[in-house]
């Protein structure tokens, strides 16, 4: 599985915003389908909140995608 780093300059990024930023979904509403189908994970735990906060070091996975997203701190 590939790992893709997602740099942020804030304390956290909401999981729906991260997935839009990375092109996994087109609208924030589409994250509900991923949650309902239990295919979205944060650090290996199934996500149940649409606006779950992801912080530096967190790993986000989507079943069916051959990539996991790792939140990193954006360099100044």
């Amino acid at each position: 599985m590939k790992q893709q780093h997602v740099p942020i300059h804030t304390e956290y990024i909401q999981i729906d915003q991260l997935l839009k930023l990375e092109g996994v979904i087109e609208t924030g509403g589409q994250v509900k389908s991923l949650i309902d189908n239990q295919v979205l994970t944060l650090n290996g735990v199934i996500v149940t909140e649409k606006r779950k906060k992801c912080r530096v070091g967190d790993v986000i996975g989507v079943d069916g995608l051959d990539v996991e997203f790792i939140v990193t701190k954006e360099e100044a």
Side-chain angles (χ1 to χ4, degrees), residues 17-26 69:
Q17 294 171 336
L18 182 143
L19 293 173
K20 276 180 28 181
L21 180 69
E22 293 303 311
V24 175
I25 59 175
E26 293 181 14
F69 303 99

Side-chain angles (χ1 to χ4, degrees), residues 1-2 5-6 10-12 16 26 28 31 34 38 45 48 50 52 56 60-61 67-69 72-75:
M1 179 171 292
K2 295 187 307 185
H5 294 269
V6 181
T10 55
E11 179 184 349
Y12 65 87
D16 58 332
E26 293 181 14
V31 76
L34 297 176
Q38 298 186 334
V45 177
T48 58
K50 178 179 176 181
K52 184 75 174 168
V56 173
I60 296 88
V67 63
E68 60 185 9
F69 303 99
T72 58
K73 186 71 175 164
E74 183 176 81
E75 298 296 323

Side-chain angles (χ1 to χ4, degrees), residues 34-46:
L34 297 176
I35 291 170
D36 289 347
N37 292 318
Q38 298 186 334
V39 297
L40 183 59
T41 60
L42 175 63
N43 299 325
V45 177
I46 293 175

Side-chain angles (χ1 to χ4, degrees), residues 50-72:
K50 178 179 176 181
R51 292 185 175 89
K52 184 75 174 168
K53 294 177 182 175
C54 303
R55 302 176 191 281
V56 173
D58 284 346
V59 179
I60 296 88
V62 181
D63 285 355
L65 291 185
D66 190 33
V67 63
E68 60 185 9
F69 303 99
I70 302 172
V71 181
T72 58

